[in-house]
Amino acid sequence: MLTASLRAFATNLIDYTAMFPPARLTLREAWRRFIGHQDGDKRWMLRRFVLPTTRLADLASAPRFSQTSEPARLALVGRSGPDAATLLAGIEADMAELASWESGSWPVAAVETLEYRLPPSAGPAVVAAAGSALAESPLAARPYFEVAQSNLTADALPALVAAVAMLREKRGLEAGLKVRCGGESPAAFPTTGQLARAIVASRDAGIRMKAAGALRHPVRRRDEALGVHRHGFINLFGAAMLAHRHGLDPATVAAILAEEDASRFRFLVGAFHWRDLSLATPEIARLRRSALTACASCSFTESAAGLAAMGLL
C-alpha cells in the first residue's frame, strides 16, 4: 500500500536515462517512453529526461514534443573530457548551445540541471574554473559535478566538495555533487564506504546530491553475472536522509547502504524506518527538496516494479 512516507520518499525520484548505457535507446524511442511514463499512474515518481547537450537541438523533432501539455523537465549531461582543458572547452561549447536554445522557440521544455563529470586529475581549481564558466549560462539551471570514483577518498573528496560548496559564495551557483553508483563493469561500482563518504561530505558542506548509474533496484542485491553487489536506491536515499536527520557517521551510513534485507526498510504512514532509526514524513519531503534530489534510472518500469514487488505500490 502506498503510504505517505513512501510518497514523500519517491516523489520526483527518478531521472530517466534511457539514452545512456545499458539501455542505449535512440532519442526518439527514449522520448516516446518518457512521454508514456508521464501519462501513467506512476508519473509522480518521474522527474527529468536526461539528454546530452550535444543532442539538445534534435529534441525539437522528437515524437509528441510540440503536443505535450506541460513543459518537460530536462537534465543535461554536458561535454566532459579526460583533462581540465577538455572539460572547460566543453563547457564553453555547451554555453553556445544553450544560448541558441534560449533564443529559439522551445515552449515545452525546461532545462533544470547541467551535469559535468570531473576528470580524475581535477582539483579545487578546476571546479572553480568550471563554476566561472557556468556562471555565464543563459539558463537558470543548477550545476552538478560528478566526482571520479578514484577521488572518493578521504584525501581527495573533502577539497572537491568544499570547492563545489564555495561556488555558492563566489559565483552565486547552487551547485551540487553527483555520485555514480555503478556501470557495465565491476570496477564501476563504488564501495559502500566510498558512497558513505560522499553522503557525509555533501551533508557537512550543505550541498545537494544526486546519484546515477545502475540504480534500477530499490534494495542492494547481488549480481552474480557481473560479480558485484548492485546498490539500491532505497539504501542510498534512506541512508542519506537518516544521515542528515541523525548526524550519522560514515560507518553507520555504510551499514545502511549494505543492507540487503528489504524488510528492514519500513514505510509507515508517519515515518520511514531502518532498524531503530526513523525519519518523519514531513522531514523526508523537506530533505528531498533541499538536499537529495534524484537518482538516474534507464528503466523506470523496472524501478517501479521493484517497489511493487516489495508490496509498497
Side-chain angles (χ1 to χ4, degrees):
M1 186 178 76
L2 177 60
T3 62
S5 62
L6 178 63
R7 183 85 185 203
F9 189 102
T11 293
N12 292 329
L13 179 68
I14 295 174
D15 281 355
Y16 190 56
T17 58
M19 289 183 64
F20 295 82
R24 293 187 179 88
L25 299 184
T26 64
L27 170 57
R28 294 180 65 85
E29 179 60 18
W31 181 258
R32 185 189 69 79
R33 295 191 188 188
F34 178 70
I35 294 297
H37 294 317
Q38 281 190 323
D39 291 338
D41 61 353
K42 298 179 181 63
R43 59 186 176 274
W44 56 275
M45 293 174 54
L46 194 61
R47 195 177 186 100
R48 309 179 187 96
F49 184 79
V50 183
L51 181 74
T53 53
T54 54
R55 302 297 306 278
L56 188 57
D58 299 333
L59 194 59
S61 62
R64 290 184 58 188
F65 181 77
S66 60
Q67 286 77 40
T68 48
S69 58
E70 60 185 35
R73 296 178 293 180
L74 303 181
L76 296 184
V77 176
R79 297 167 169 91
S80 298
D83 53 49
T86 308
L87 169 64
L88 295 175
I91 293 176
E92 183 179 356
D94 287 343
M95 294 304 99
E97 194 93 34
L98 292 174
S100 173
W101 168 277
E102 180 69 2
S103 62
S105 177
W106 307 94
V108 292
V111 177
E112 290 190 348
T113 66
L114 281 168
E115 302 172 12
Y116 289 92
R117 181 179 298 182
L118 295 173
S121 60
V126 174
V127 175
S132 296
L134 289 169
E136 304 302 318
S137 171
L139 303 180
R142 186 183 303 279
Y144 282 86
F145 293 98
E146 179 184 330
V147 177
Q149 186 176 331
S150 60
N151 285 330
L152 294 176
T153 65
D155 293 331
L157 186 62
L160 289 172
V161 170
V164 173
M166 187 63 69
L167 294 178
R168 178 171 50 214
E169 177 182 338
K170 297 291 187 181
R171 297 294 177 184
L173 292 176
E174 294 286 342
L177 182 72
K178 179 179 175 182
V179 293
R180 183 158 298 276
C181 299
E184 296 184 280
S185 69
F189 289 78
T191 66
T192 56
Q194 289 174 317
L195 287 182
R197 191 176 294 118
I199 288 170
V200 171
S202 61
R203 176 199 68 190
D204 292 347
I207 62 173
R208 286 173 168 84
M209 191 185 84
K210 70 169 295 184
L215 278 173
R216 298 191 302 274
H217 302 293
V219 177
R220 179 178 167 89
R221 61 171 63 185
R222 179 72 178 174
D223 184 332
E224 295 296 347
L226 201 57
V228 296
H229 281 86
R230 290 186 174 271
H231 299 289
F233 59 78
I234 288 180
N235 298 73
L236 183 74
F237 278 73
M241 284 189 279
L242 290 170
H244 275 262
R245 173 63 181 84
H246 297 283
L248 303 181
D249 60 21
T252 306
V253 174
I256 304 172
L257 292 170
E259 181 66 77
E260 296 181 49
D261 184 352
S263 69
R264 296 288 190 177
F265 298 106
R266 293 179 294 146
F267 291 90
L268 305 183
V269 173
F272 163 74
H273 294 256
W274 176 76
R275 297 181 183 258
D276 59 346
L277 295 175
S278 65
L279 185 69
T281 296
E283 189 74 358
I284 296 171
R286 184 188 70 80
L287 286 170
R288 284 295 324 284
R289 290 192 301 269
S290 65
L292 304 154
T293 57
C295 68
S297 174
C298 65
S299 178
F300 179 74
T301 301
E302 191 173 0
S303 299
L307 292 174
M310 294 173 63
L312 297 175
L313 293 179

